[in-house]
Amino acid sequence: MFTAKRVADKKDWLSGRDHDWEIIIGLEVHAQVASKSKLFSGAATEYGAEPNTQVSLVDAAMPGMLPVVNEFCIEQAVRTGLGLNAQINLYSRFDRKNYFYPDLPQGYQISQFEFPIVGEGEIEIEPEGGEAVIVGIERLHLEQDAGKSIHDLSPDDTFVDLNRSGVCLMEIVSKPDMRSPEEASAYVEKVRGIVRALGTCDGDMEKGNLRADVNVSVRKPGGDLGTRCEIKNVNSMRFIRQAINYEARRQIDILEAGGEIDQETRLFDNAKGETRTMRSKEDAHDYRYFPDPDLLPINITQEFVDGIKANLPELPDARKARFVVDYGIPEYDARILTADKAKGDFYERLAKGRDAKIAANWMMGDLFGALNKASINLDDSPVNSDALGELLDLIGDKTISGKIAKDVFEKMFAGEGGANEIVEREGLKQVTDTGAIEKMVQDVIDANADQAAKVADNPRLVGFFVGQVMKASGGKANPQAVNEILRKKLGL
Amino acid sequence: MSEKNTGVTAKTVEKIARLSRLHVEPDRLAYLADEMNGLLAWIEQLGEVDVKGVEPMTSAVEMPAPLRKDEITDGGVRDKVLANAPKTESGYFVVPRSVE
Amino acid sequence: MSDLTKLTLEAALSGLKAKDFSSVEITKAHIDACMDAADLNAFITTDFTNAMKAAEISDAKLAKGEGGALEGAPLGIKDLFCTEGVKTTAGSKILGDFKPQYECTVTENMKRDGMVMLGKLNMDEFAMGSSNETSAFGPVVNPWRKGEDLVPGGSSGGSASAVAANMCLGATATDTGGSIRQPASFTGTVGIKPTYGRCSRWGIVAFASSLDQAGPITRTVKDSAIMLQSMAGYDAKDSTSINKAMPDLSAACGKSIKGMKIGIPKEYTMDGMPREIEDLWQQGIKWLESCGAEIVHVSLPHTKYALPAYYIVAPAEASSNLARYDGMRYGERVEGDNLYDTYERTRAEGFGKEVRRRIMMGTYVLSAGYYDAYYLQAQKVRTKIADDFKRAWEKCDALLTPTCPSAAFAVGRKLNDPVTMYLNDIFTVTANLAGLPAMSVPAALDNNGLPLGLQIIGRALDEETVFAASSALESCAGFEAKPEKWWV
Ligand SMILES: [Mg+2]
Ligand SMILES: [Zn+2]
């Protein structure tokens, strides 16, 4: 079923003692369906509630409680499957996965094992600094989340909050088609972009609404597959890359020392940047999957699927292509701006009726830079698309220069007001009055008479004069006007 | 009782008990293996039935799953959820420490 | 006033409506009977104070000419049904003092209709048993006795015993492999397991989800009709609930069966089956013929595989259903050295021997390497069993069989031989596997003076035919025998 024919780019090989190594990565992304209520109960799913307040008697697995399927979750799985270019299965079924854990009240997780709702598909990813790669999707199935165990409220006990218990997850399983940490994070980025564009999951990794189990193994480039380890619940792109790097190196060290890799489940320690074993081997796991007798099969019709297909929103790949054509921006820019629905929407609002290239540059440069530095999400940006648009309009109509605009942007980002307001308040308007500029130019020429004399022989000195005039104007003089007047006066 | 199936050993019982989270005293394992083998010997006759091409019956009702609307109709009953708990604190269930 | 506990449910309801007596009076009479019969150990929990309050409320309604289909009738509830605020044990220690914060749909329906609940009836632990000896609260004793204490059958032994001993006018029960019909047969009472999906399973402690079905145990077929009509109904909270109207069951009782085709499955004879049971079956055939039914011979070739298939499917589902009893959120927790030790001790000490045995079997048949050979094979055999019935329905409208291969046996007799114990359900379990309605009707006494039942099995959703045929059988049999009231 799993093929791993592709050999990694040489640049992604890890060097070893006797030979190089290649990393084989497969991912299981758990994406929380953006439903109001749980997969099998009417309790709310909203994040951050007081412990055990969003728990129905079904979620707490009281005796005799029974599950009833949420139709919205079925629909979102189909939408997501279509977004992943995957096979939609008209027949699917829920099975029980049996194991004991205090945050798993039923003693089993209701999941889809033998008959998932979505089958094989594929998506294209474009890793940073690499070629585009096709990653196969093995399946997407629905399952319920477990509750939360909290270990730091008491030294002797574990506290259990079941608010998440029963929340609907889509588990999206990739084929082991990734070969570098960058490819892995680009894949998660892409999946996240797709579910956000579809609105089937909010993709919020900080809240754990999208998280990844990372399967890592190493092999001699192009050789036989090695034993894999699964790293559970990694919840940021950076941690995904770190975990893979650490885990691959760990496995290589073991293999080079003549050891064997134990197939096991591992945890990623965010603080230490290490993976460590999660379950001891002694704790045999045999999940004893069988069809959940409390639930009946899910039968959907082709018409239902076609109806959803006809109403799918624009997905990142299509949007990217459109941005290149409609806005005339480079593919690279288009990809970054469409990686995420929020970015694309922001850009389209900003670029509308403005210079699309300048809009792209401002978003990707100043805005993303500032957001990154402050660790703020685009959704929470202190400068929204209207505000940034106001600034771009001031550049466009030459009210301020691009250089001044950068200072204005910083002030806007710091919450000091809107673009017009700041420009007005701080008197940053560009001087376009030729009389005033002529006077400044004359003053500078008079003050630097010896340099002025040399200009004829060395035209590059004009730059010096421009600089001086701009300095004298406090940056407000229109650079184009300064240039023209200077050249005239210097007789060039 | 145990004449046919002798597949279950004390070791199997130990594994099954662990999966079932049932404590079994070591000196009971052999007895339980014997008992399971007895039952399995009786159950074994199912193997006689030709089931080629037969779909397994997973439910006694032949209909697809009914679906419910995505509405918040439940929850907000913490008192009821915790009412029978052996140990609670600050709105949480308290259980034996599940990590070292 | 005559003894109110001797009334049928039907007669009691009309007496209440006619104000011949009050609910308080008839409830009081039954409470006294319950206290007199304490030795039968039919109840795990009694709730007499609330019963009297409910009776008063019913009387107020009846006085105004109001009230539901069960208004004012004192009934018993098997302790598998979760009842709000009233301890529910499932016959197990593991639930401790569990007081459900919810009411299961079946008893909710009955309370809506005015039932007076006397308390919670004893049963085999988690409904796993055919003799009521696996209860953590001690065995129930059959009111029928021959020199020694007899089992009332199981798992609804408390329900059957209480109804047979006139401790309540009727009782709820559940049937996963025969747990309504076998105790009914052992105690000279009527019991029906309706079509799977008729009674909501919501709030009933699960044993084997694809087989469990609730139903009544009563003293007459008509009483079962009245009770089941109240208990059943579509419930959106149970995904396997059937959204189809139940026929008028009372109207079906006494309906002519002229021309009805009754199938006699040849595979329902068993080696070592007492002669009397074979004779009774033949008698049953004659009775139905005398009522105008046409007898046809049918074959259900996979019958002998039903019980082994059941002993894979039911334990498999149970091993998973009972995983929630871990002492974490409710029930009795036995603290161990660490989390796993706590799990293992809680469950080893909380569950009785038979429940542990079935959990282990269920875990085994689902485990890696055995799933296909056991669980999957059993589910396929189940399909064949269901197909056997489908073929039979081409030739007949209902089947007549014995309910059990024997009459009630002595307490302790079969306890240590699981397979022998399991064989009690050989004639009843097929209806569970196929999801069909089936009813046991008391038909005669054996040579020892112990009751024996006959079973009518019908098509899915065709309770109407089952009630009509059972009612015909009941009037032909004219079973009037009552156990001697030795326990007072
Ligand atoms: Mg997984
Ligand atoms: Zn999962």
Side-chain angles (χ1 to χ4, degrees):
Chain A
M1 190 191 335
F2 286 128
T3 54
K5 283 187 210 130
R6 186 168 73 93
V7 178
D9 267 8
K10 276 202 173 141
K11 70 171 173 51
D12 293 326
W13 290 5
L14 297 178
S15 54
R17 200 184 50 199
D18 306 320
H19 59 78
D20 287 331
W21 295 88
E22 177 189 21
I23 319 177
I24 307 293
I25 305 156
L27 284 154
E28 290 162 29
V29 170
H30 284 92
Q32 178 179 330
V33 172
S35 59
K36 293 198 280 277
S37 65
K38 295 182 179 178
L39 178 52
F40 298 118
S41 88
T45 57
E46 207 177 319
Y47 181 82
E50 287 292 299
N52 291 310
T53 54
Q54 295 182 165
V55 180
S56 77
L57 300 168
V58 176
D59 308 320
M62 289 292 157
M65 294 299 97
L66 298 170
V68 183
V69 180
N70 183 337
E71 67 178 359
F72 180 80
C73 297
I74 300 294
E75 193 184 326
Q76 302 321 301
V78 172
R79 283 164 66 82
T80 307
L82 291 170
L84 297 169
N85 311 303
Q87 164 76 34
I88 306 300
N89 295 325
L90 300 183
Y91 173 94
S92 68
R93 198 176 70 193
F94 284 102
D95 301 287
R96 292 185 184 177
K97 177 182 183 178
N98 296 283
Y99 66 95
F100 288 85
Y101 206 69
D103 59 21
L104 186 75
Q106 294 162 137
Y108 54 83
Q109 178 195 34
I110 307 178
S111 181
Q112 296 187 303
F113 181 58
E114 213 184 330
F115 298 98
I117 187 156
V118 176
E120 292 188 322
E122 60 178 38
I123 56 174
E124 189 183 70
I125 61 165
E126 288 151 294
E128 200 67 56
E131 301 265 293
V133 175
I134 301 286
V135 176
I137 302 293
E138 178 65 25
R139 60 190 277 158
L140 174 156
H141 65 254
L142 289 170
E143 62 186 25
Q144 49 179 186
D145 205 351
K148 211 164 87 187
S149 292
I150 297 143
H151 309 293
D152 54 9
L153 290 176
S154 147
D156 309 316
D157 303 305
T158 292
F159 284 41
V160 177
D161 170 17
L162 297 180
N163 281 349
R164 283 197 82 94
S165 165
V167 163
C168 182
L169 305 177
M170 297 181 281
E171 180 172 327
I172 303 164
V173 183
S174 82
K175 302 205 173 196
D177 286 351
M178 287 146 282
R179 299 287 179 271
S180 71
E182 291 69 33
E183 288 179 13
S185 64
Y187 167 80
V188 176
E189 195 101 52
K190 187 60 175 274
V191 169
R192 185 172 176 269
I194 291 169
V195 295
R196 280 175 58 98
L198 292 166
T200 57
C201 167
D202 72 10
D204 193 331
M205 295 187 83
E206 263 162 51
K207 289 180 183 162
N209 294 352
L210 189 133
R211 50 194 201 258
D213 296 345
V214 189
N215 287 294
V216 178
S217 65
V218 295
R219 68 174 180 187
K220 215 171 174 170
D224 291 338
L225 281 179
T227 305
R228 66 191 166 91
C229 289
E230 181 179 12
I231 311 159
K232 281 272 176 207
N233 283 339
V234 192
N235 64 359
S236 86
M237 305 298 171
R238 188 162 60 93
F239 292 152
I240 288 170
R241 291 190 297 267
Q242 276 182 6
I244 294 169
N245 273 321
Y246 178 90
E247 180 60 19
R249 202 25 91 181
R250 185 187 74 87
Q251 292 184 14
I252 292 169
D253 289 348
I254 291 173
L255 293 169
E256 294 195 333
E260 273 180 28
I261 308 299
D262 293 325
Q263 184 165 343
E264 60 175 359
T265 304
R266 300 178 68 82
L267 272 180
F268 180 67
D269 185 323
N270 296 355
K272 291 187 187 152
E274 296 172 2
T275 67
R276 62 163 189 270
T277 187
M278 188 170 150
R279 294 187 190 130
S280 70
K281 265 176 295 169
E282 230 194 301
D283 185 19
H285 45 108
D286 178 342
Y287 293 125
R288 289 159 283 136
Y289 284 100
F290 75 106
D292 190 326
D294 286 332
L295 291 164
L296 299 169
I298 305 294
N299 281 336
I300 52 175
T301 62
Q302 191 57 47
E303 294 76 67
F304 173 76
V305 177
D306 292 343
I308 292 176
K309 202 171 197 170
N311 291 301
L312 281 188
E314 187 180 40
L315 290 167
D317 283 351
R319 198 176 207 187
K320 186 185 85 178
R322 181 168 62 79
F323 276 20
V324 171
V325 173
D326 287 8
Y327 297 110
I329 56 173
E331 226 182 270
Y332 176 82
D333 294 11
R335 172 160 70 79
I336 291 181
L337 292 172
T338 54
D340 196 275
K341 182 169 158 39
K343 285 180 187 166
D345 292 349
F346 192 110
Y347 176 71
E348 296 214 68
R349 285 192 302 268
L350 185 64
K352 197 178 173 199
R354 301 195 175 96
D355 185 318
K357 282 182 194 167
I358 291 180
N361 290 342
W362 269 87
M363 256 187 87
M364 292 165 56
D366 299 81
L367 179 64
F368 288 175
L371 289 171
N372 243 338
K373 210 165 135 192
S375 296
I376 298 175
N377 284 323
L378 182 60
D379 292 332
D380 308 321
S381 171
V383 178
N384 65 23
S385 55
D386 286 350
L388 187 54
E390 191 180 312
L391 181 66
L392 296 197
D393 290 344
L394 290 177
I395 304 170
D397 66 11
K398 301 199 168 63
T399 306
I400 55 172
S401 67
K403 190 155 176 291
I404 291 280
K406 291 192 188 289
D407 299 335
V408 175
F409 175 78
E410 264 177 43
K411 293 194 161 83
M412 289 165 68
F413 201 84
E416 291 173 26
N420 275 310
E421 187 188 344
I422 293 167
V423 168
E424 203 64 51
R425 187 175 67 217
E426 312 208 352
L428 299 174
K429 266 194 186 151
Q430 191 158 249
V431 179
T432 45
D433 170 3
T434 43
I437 294 174
E438 242 168 271
K439 173 149 192 330
M440 280 189 271
V441 169
Q442 196 55 57
D443 288 352
V444 170
I445 292 174
D446 292 349
N448 299 282
D450 45 340
Q451 301 278 353
K454 291 180 197 158
V455 166
D457 296 333
N458 186 1
R460 268 185 297 171
L461 276 171
V462 174
F464 164 77
F465 283 97
V466 173
Q468 291 299 308
V469 175
M470 291 307 288
K471 197 172 161 193
S473 74
K476 287 181 287 183
N478 179 316
Q480 221 180 329
V482 170
N483 221 317
E484 271 170 33
I485 294 167
L486 254 174
R487 284 174 181 276
K488 203 161 62 189
K489 287 201 182 256
L490 292 169
L492 291 168
Chain B
M1 210 163 63
S2 53
E3 53 289 335
K4 246 158 103 194
N5 186 310
T6 49
V8 175
T9 61
K11 212 169 157 55
T12 321
V13 175
E14 199 180 357
K15 186 189 141 207
I16 295 298
R18 196 186 307 126
L19 281 173
S20 311
R21 295 276 179 253
L22 288 169
H23 177 82
V24 176
E25 292 296 336
D27 62 5
R28 293 277 300 157
L29 294 171
Y31 172 82
L32 290 174
D34 210 36
E35 195 175 78
M36 281 182 77
N37 283 321
L39 287 169
L40 289 167
W42 171 64
I43 284 169
E44 243 19 61
Q45 58 177 302
L46 275 187
E48 296 166 12
V49 184
D50 178 8
V51 293
K52 211 177 288 160
V54 177
E55 285 297 314
M57 181 170 171
T58 52
S59 172
V61 272
E62 289 178 70
M63 59 181 191
L67 304 176
R68 50 165 247 278
K69 291 215 158 16
D70 183 29
E71 285 163 358
I72 298 166
T73 55
D74 209 339
V77 289
R78 180 156 81 184
D79 291 351
K80 290 186 175 190
V81 165
L82 298 177
N84 285 287
K87 208 170 164 190
T88 64
E89 207 180 305
S90 323
Y92 292 94
F93 290 101
V94 178
V95 305
R97 199 160 176 79
S98 61
V99 289
E100 294 312 308
Chain C
M1 197 177 303
S2 65
D3 187 350
L4 294 176
T5 67
K6 284 185 177 162
L7 296 173
T8 62
L9 173 61
E10 183 189 13
L13 287 168
S14 61
L16 282 163
K17 216 169 216 167
K19 304 192 187 68
D20 296 342
F21 44 83
S22 69
S23 175
V24 164
E25 284 167 314
I26 193 166
T27 299
K28 183 73 180 54
H30 281 90
I31 290 172
D32 290 344
C34 290
M35 295 201 288
D36 287 345
D39 287 351
L40 298 183
N41 199 28
F43 282 89
I44 291 174
T45 304
T46 54
D47 194 20
F48 297 151
T49 313
N50 283 319
M52 288 306 288
K53 279 187 205 152
E56 281 169 27
I57 293 169
S58 283
D59 281 335
K61 282 190 186 160
L62 289 161
K64 285 189 276 182
E66 295 167 4
L70 299 174
E71 199 64 53
L75 301 170
I77 302 298
K78 186 179 184 179
D79 209 16
L80 201 62
F81 294 76
C82 288
T83 42
E84 191 169 357
V86 178
K87 189 170 125 171
T88 299
T89 69
S92 183
K93 250 184 6 188
I94 204 160
L95 273 156
D97 286 319
F98 180 68
K99 284 203 177 76
Q101 304 295 301
Y102 49 97
E103 186 80 24
C104 73
T105 301
V106 166
T107 52
E108 172 110 23
N109 290 344
M110 294 168 74
K111 285 181 176 172
R112 169 204 66 203
D113 287 345
M115 124 164 106
V116 171
M117 183 180 91
L118 291 168
K120 306 297 290 290
L121 293 158
N122 203 345
M123 54 178 285
D124 278 302
E125 185 178 8
F126 283 100
M128 297 178 192
S130 303
S131 66
N132 226 295
E133 293 165 291
T134 72
S135 169
F137 301 88
V140 175
V141 176
N142 194 332
W144 295 84
R145 178 157 93 159
K146 268 285 162 285
E148 55 186 341
D149 279 351
L150 304 180
V151 302
S155 66
S156 310
S159 305
S161 191
V163 172
N166 294 352
M167 295 156 74
C168 52
L169 293 169
T172 65
T174 61
D175 190 316
T176 304
S179 283
I180 290 176
R181 292 159 287 158
Q182 183 253 14
S185 178
F186 277 20
T187 57
T189 55
V190 173
I192 176 168
K193 177 199 92 72
T195 307
Y196 182 85
R198 280 292 196 194
C199 286
S200 169
R201 293 184 296 112
W202 193 88
I204 301 175
V205 175
F207 161 14
S209 311
S210 76
L211 302 161
D212 295 345
Q213 206 27 224
I217 290 180
T218 58
R219 292 197 283 270
T220 67
V221 173
K222 184 70 177 286
D223 286 2
S224 271
I226 294 166
M227 259 187 82
L228 182 56
Q229 201 92 48
S230 172
M231 292 167 72
Y234 174 68
D235 182 8
K237 291 187 287 188
D238 174 357
S239 296
T240 60
S241 175
I242 291 176
N243 195 1
K244 295 226 170 77
M246 180 72 103
D248 182 341
L249 301 177
S250 290
C253 298
K255 211 175 141 193
S256 164
I257 61 162
K258 208 173 189 115
M260 185 185 282
K261 288 192 176 124
I262 300 289
I264 308 300
K266 69 167 190 247
E267 291 81 6
Y268 278 54
T269 21
M270 200 182 111
D271 290 346
M273 188 162 86
R275 178 80 226 182
E276 298 156 271
I277 290 185
E278 181 65 43
D279 291 347
L280 178 62
W281 193 9
Q282 294 308 319
Q283 180 63 62
I285 292 170
K286 288 195 191 100
W287 282 332
L288 291 178
E289 263 177 332
S290 73
C291 295
E294 187 188 324
I295 301 299
V296 294
H297 290 275
V298 298
S299 171
L300 300 171
H302 296 91
T303 300
K304 71 177 262 210
Y305 301 109
L307 210 49
Y310 173 84
Y311 275 95
I312 289 174
V313 174
E317 292 182 10
S319 71
S320 177
N321 281 337
L322 270 57
R324 65 187 58 197
Y325 305 100
D326 58 5
M328 299 294 145
R329 296 164 315 286
Y330 46 80
E332 207 71 62
R333 181 188 297 176
V334 181
E335 299 284 352
D337 296 338
N338 54 43
L339 174 69
Y340 291 136
D341 199 36
T342 299
Y343 273 137
E344 293 189 351
R345 290 188 187 278
T346 295
R347 290 168 57 80
E349 288 177 37
F351 290 132
K353 191 175 163 193
E354 181 62 24
V355 172
R356 292 199 307 270
R357 178 187 284 147
R358 295 203 199 182
I359 290 174
M360 299 269 284
M361 280 298 289
T363 301
Y364 181 73
V365 299
L366 288 176
S367 66
Y370 300 99
Y371 181 89
D372 286 4
Y374 292 115
Y375 184 75
L376 195 62
Q377 177 78 8
Q379 293 287 49
K380 288 178 178 173
V381 170
R382 195 176 171 185
T383 302
K384 295 211 118 181
I385 290 165
D387 287 346
D388 282 353
F389 280 109
K390 280 180 195 154
R391 262 188 297 279
W393 301 138
E394 290 166 10
K395 294 170 78 179
C396 63
D397 305 307
L399 297 164
L400 174 72
T401 78
T403 307
C404 297
S406 79
F409 47 87
V411 172
R413 173 98 34 98
K414 296 184 179 180
L415 199 50
N416 292 316
D417 184 354
V419 175
T420 311
M421 184 68 93
Y422 297 168
L423 289 173
N424 270 285
D425 293 334
I426 193 152
F427 301 142
T428 48
V429 75
T430 52
N432 298 82
L433 289 168
L436 306 175
M439 192 165 202
S440 178
V441 180
L445 296 178
D446 72 358
N447 292 337
N448 294 316
L450 295 176
L452 295 172
L454 285 171
Q455 175 177 237
I456 297 286
I457 304 173
R459 292 187 178 95
L461 300 174
D462 190 13
E463 277 81 4
E464 192 171 6
T465 297
V466 173
F467 271 91
S470 298
S471 160
L473 209 53
E474 181 184 46
S475 37
C476 291
F479 185 88
E480 295 286 338
K482 279 278 159 198
E484 194 187 321
K485 211 168 170 186
W486 54 266
W487 54 86
V488 183

